[in-house]
């Protein structure tokens, strides 16, 4: 099957991840709650105060609104594979309101002993997103059933609370990452002056440029991991007219060039993955 990111309004988003060399991704912003199931290899996820190793056949539920470091380690056959699922926010809210007694997943919760029934619910949730012939209410039910299974493993996702200005702007940029955004247009969209916008972002220790670049590079990484789009097409999707300009920015953000995400592992002269 052609690798792709599947989106279904009112249900969620899902995609696969394929890598053929071990790479570390620093400060990845997790905007929405996500479930990642590792199919081959090992995922290491770290945040301030904690770390989990998720092996083949295991899963991890990660809370939204935080930055984490992730390393995807290869299996013996030289590959790493995983699938991820993000729910529509309304499903998260409805489930949380119906199960207030369950503990909230603050950072991440591993699911290392998933049953056959959990795996079946997971596959049905993926299908609910990917197969538009499934009636919408049935699809939403299947996605919500997976939330119930996660709850039975010990936790629930918390609905989105008041968003920071930087997160709101990140979502605003996400509407069209290829657009040439300007400070005046962003300030206008949020009904404030440029000076106020910059001051408020400074209070959050960031800038418009930093938010835009990180949003672009994070989405580019998602496209490289989960689709077969050529690198030059990925560059255009996130606002760069030339692959070389995109590669420079990507390497500055992650420490390696975009093609490294897809090519098989090899070692260059300095001993580091190329």
């Amino acid at each position: 099957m052609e690798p792709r990111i599947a989106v279904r309004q009112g249900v969620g988003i899902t995609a696969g991840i394929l890598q053929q060399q071990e790479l570390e991704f620093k400060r990845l912003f997790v905007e929405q709650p996500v479930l990642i199931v590792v199919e081959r290899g090992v995922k290491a996820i770290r945040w301030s105060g904690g770390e989990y190793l998720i092996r083949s056949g295991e899963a991890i539920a990660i809370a939204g609104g935080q930055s984490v470091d992730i390393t995807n380690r290869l299996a013996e056959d030289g590959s790493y594979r995983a699938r991820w699922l993000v729910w529509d926010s309304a499903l998260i809210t409805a489930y949380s309101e119906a199960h207030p007694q369950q503990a909230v997943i603050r950072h991440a919760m591993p699911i290392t002993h998933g049953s056959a029934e959990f795996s079946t619910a997971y596959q049905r949730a993926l299908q609910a997103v990917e197969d538009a012939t499934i009636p919408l209410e049935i699809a939403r039910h299947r996605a919500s059933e997976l939330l119930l299974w996660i709850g039975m493993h010990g936790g629930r996702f918390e609905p989105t609370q008041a968003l920071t200005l930087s997160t709101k702007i990140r979502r605003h940029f996400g509407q069209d990452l290829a657009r040439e955004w300007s400070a005046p247009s962003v300030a206008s969209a949020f009904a404030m002056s440029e000076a106020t916008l910059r001051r408020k972002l400074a209070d959050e220790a960031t800038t418009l440029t930093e938010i835009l670049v990180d949003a672009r590079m994070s989405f580019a990484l998602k496209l490289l991991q989960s689709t077969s789009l050529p690198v030059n097409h990925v560059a255009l999707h996130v606002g760069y007219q030339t692959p070389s300009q995109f590669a420079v920015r990507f390497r500055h953000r992650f420490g390696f060039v975009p093609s490294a995400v897809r090519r098989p592992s090899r070692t260059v002269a300095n001993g580091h993955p190329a």
Side-chain angles (χ1 to χ4, degrees):
M1 179 181 292
E2 183 79 2
R4 66 189 181 96
I5 300 173
V7 181
R8 189 171 187 189
Q9 294 296 325
V11 183
I13 309 171
T14 185
I17 298 172
L18 171 62
Q19 284 179 220
Q20 293 180 286
Q21 66 173 296
E22 180 175 317
L23 297 170
E24 182 178 24
F25 307 103
K26 291 281 194 178
R27 307 181 314 281
L28 283 182
F29 184 69
V30 182
E31 185 172 322
Q32 299 168 281
V34 60
L35 178 73
I36 302 175
V37 176
V38 176
E39 298 177 350
R40 191 174 300 163
V42 177
K43 176 179 289 292
I45 175 171
R46 296 173 298 281
W47 64 93
S48 56
E51 177 178 6
Y52 286 119
L53 293 179
I54 307 301
R55 296 171 173 80
S56 178
E58 299 177 344
I60 186 163
I62 306 174
Q66 63 175 325
S67 293
V68 298
D69 295 341
I70 288 177
T71 303
N72 295 328
R73 300 173 182 170
L74 307 182
E76 291 184 359
D77 70 350
S79 69
Y80 169 89
R81 290 180 182 271
R83 294 290 299 275
W84 55 263
L85 173 71
V86 169
W87 290 262
D88 180 86
S89 59
L91 296 181
I92 296 286
T93 299
Y95 181 85
S96 181
E97 290 176 350
H99 301 85
Q101 77 285 359
Q102 292 181 352
V104 172
I105 300 170
R106 295 299 180 190
H107 293 286
M109 184 186 77
I111 300 174
T112 57
H113 301 289
S115 63
E117 290 82 3
F118 175 84
S119 297
T120 298
Y122 163 68
Q123 293 296 335
R124 285 163 59 86
L126 295 181
Q127 185 184 30
V129 176
E130 296 170 347
D131 186 353
T133 66
I134 297 173
L136 180 60
E137 287 308 309
I138 299 297
R140 289 170 60 84
H141 175 78
R142 291 183 180 182
S144 297
E145 180 186 351
L146 188 57
L147 291 172
L148 184 58
W149 278 103
I150 292 172
M152 293 182 69
H153 279 84
R156 63 175 172 87
F157 295 119
E158 191 169 37
T160 301
Q161 302 298 311
L163 300 176
T164 62
L165 177 60
S166 56
T167 299
K168 291 178 181 178
I169 292 174
R170 188 185 185 99
R171 291 187 175 184
H172 185 64
F173 286 150
Q175 297 172 21
D176 185 0
L177 288 169
R179 175 178 167 182
E180 292 190 11
W181 294 95
S182 67
S185 67
V186 176
S188 176
F190 287 88
M192 62 181 73
S193 68
E194 290 181 55
T196 300
L197 178 68
R198 291 192 174 95
R199 185 178 69 253
K200 287 180 177 293
L201 289 178
D203 290 341
E204 297 180 15
T206 189
T207 66
L208 276 180
T209 299
E210 289 173 349
I211 296 169
L212 179 58
V213 170
D214 194 66
R216 284 174 166 172
M217 294 304 101
S218 296
F219 188 63
L221 174 62
K222 188 181 297 183
L223 292 176
L224 291 167
Q225 288 181 317
S226 304
T227 77
S228 58
L229 280 175
V231 172
N232 62 320
H233 289 192
V234 172
L236 290 172
H237 268 284
V238 296
Y240 294 89
Q241 298 303 309
T242 66
S244 59
Q245 181 190 31
F246 167 61
V248 168
R249 184 67 74 176
F250 190 91
R251 184 163 195 160
H252 183 264
R253 171 62 180 85
F254 292 112
F256 44 83
V257 295
S259 57
V261 177
R262 291 175 171 170
R263 69 179 176 229
S265 179
R266 68 184 179 89
T267 303
V268 295
N270 65 5
H272 297 292

